Amino acid sequence: MTATRATILLDQLASVYDEVLPFFAGFARQHMAWVAPGPGTRVLDLGAGRGALTGAALAHGCRVTAVDCAAGMVERLADRYPRVHEARVMDVHQLDFPDGCFDLVCAGFVVHLLDDPAAAAREVRRVLAPGGVFSFSVPGDVEDAPEWEFYGALFREFQPLIPEGQGRLSRPLDAERLLSAAGFTGIGGTAIEQRLPVPDADTFWDWGLSHGSRAYFDALPADARTEFEARVRAELSAMDPIVFAAGARLWRGASAA
Ligand SMILES: C[S@@+](CC[C@H](N)C(=O)[O-])C[C@H]1O[C@@H](n2cnc3c(N)ncnc32)[C@H](O)[C@@H]1O
């Protein structure tokens, strides 16, 4: 497997990932509610991280297999979810599973990080049983949260200070085209949002350093990072309580029956 900036950073962050605020866990519950698998559904959680979707699928009574290329993530997922059927270190571009052995393959905030999403989508199709579903989430927008517009605006403002090839891990993705090119049908999407209570500004800043956005902060020159942090804290000081509003987009497609 070729290590990428994303895989290296996320492996390093495994001990804190989704522990500061239950951000990915919150979206995973909504994701699984949208797909609504029945008990006994054979689920593959792709790029499972610490198991946000695994936990949500187990709560639906599914039989869950989880894979991630980061050993530190897989180890923690297996500790937290002893009911997981199998948790393995694996590259999603080359799935070590036979054809047609899953009913649902889900991926939370993974596909937009991949080197070759088309190759991964073809692998997903291969391991899905006829009529099986591939669903995944990507970052999205939030409506009616003007108090949080400052956060995205700060990322855009400081972007010119980031050296080329560094910074944010997300890559542009045309989800609909990805699914149709891989042969999925019944393609659809929906927007979801969550509003997460944040105890204080320290917690919010620590959260920003505990997942993929860390790549952006680490790429900023030291004085710019200090200024970015100060401006975030100034905005948060005007919020009481602090409730973080964030959006995501869910996508799904079916394998021919
Ligand atoms: C943003 S995290 C999302 C984790 C989890 N799905 C969630 O919703 O919290 C992205 C995960 O994808 C994994 N990942 C990235 N590229 C991968 C690849 N090529 N093969 C397997 N896992 C990969 C990372 O190690 C990381 O755990």
Side-chain angles (χ1 to χ4, degrees), residues 42 97-103 123-130 255:
R42 296 166 300 169
F97 297 110
D99 296 357
C101 63
F102 295 105
D103 307 305
E123 273 294 83
V124 169
R125 258 214 86 197
R126 183 184 65 74
V127 301
L128 271 175
S255 157

Side-chain angles (χ1 to χ4, degrees), residues 7 10 17 24 47-49 52 68-70 73 90-93 108-110 113-114:
T7 62
L10 286 155
Y17 182 82
F24 295 99
D68 197 287
C69 61
M73 296 282 196
M90 200 181 291
D91 185 348
V92 305
H93 298 97
F109 298 94
V110 178
L113 303 177
L114 297 177

Side-chain angles (χ1 to χ4, degrees), residues 118-145:
R122 285 193 298 273
E123 273 294 83
V124 169
R125 258 214 86 197
R126 183 184 65 74
V127 301
L128 271 175
V133 169
F134 177 31
S135 70
F136 61 90
S137 58
V138 290
D141 299 325
V142 63
E143 301 284 327
D144 297 328

Side-chain angles (χ1 to χ4, degrees), residues 37-220:
T41 301
R42 296 166 300 169
V43 173
L44 173 62
D45 182 359
L46 213 62
R50 293 196 46 163
L53 277 169
T54 291
L58 287 171
H60 281 250
C62 301
R63 191 190 80 164
V64 186
T65 300
V67 299
D68 197 287
C69 61
M73 296 282 196
V74 173
E75 203 176 297
R76 287 171 173 86
L77 180 153
D79 277 353
R80 180 166 301 174
Y81 299 107
R83 286 191 297 127
V84 73
H85 175 67
E86 207 182 357
R88 288 173 62 184
V89 174
M90 200 181 291
D91 185 348
V92 305
H93 298 97
Q94 277 180 296
L95 295 174
D96 183 18
F97 297 110
D99 296 357
C101 63
F102 295 105
D103 307 305
L104 169 65
V105 178
C106 55
F109 298 94
V110 178
V111 179
H112 64 297
L113 303 177
L114 297 177
D115 264 356
D116 190 349
R122 285 193 298 273
E123 273 294 83
V124 169
R125 258 214 86 197
R126 183 184 65 74
V127 301
L128 271 175
V133 169
F134 177 31
S135 70
F136 61 90
S137 58
V138 290
D141 299 325
V142 63
E143 301 284 327
D144 297 328
E147 71 281 19
W148 284 98
E149 279 168 16
F150 82 90
Y151 198 52
L154 279 178
F155 279 94
R156 289 190 291 278
E157 180 185 333
F158 283 71
Q159 179 62 37
L161 302 175
I162 303 266
E164 183 145 357
Q166 295 184 36
R168 298 198 106 166
L169 301 172
S170 289
R171 300 167 187 209
L173 181 76
D174 183 336
E176 216 161 343
R177 179 177 293 190
L178 175 78
L179 287 167
S180 64
F184 289 96
T185 58
I187 296 165
T190 192
I192 55 172
E193 295 187 359
Q194 66 175 335
R195 281 168 164 74
L196 263 181
V198 180
D200 49 41
D202 288 344
T203 304
F204 187 76
W205 186 250
D206 288 347
W207 172 76
L209 300 178
S210 70
H211 63 104
S213 61
R214 173 70 173 262
Y216 179 98
F217 296 123
D218 284 353
L220 281 175

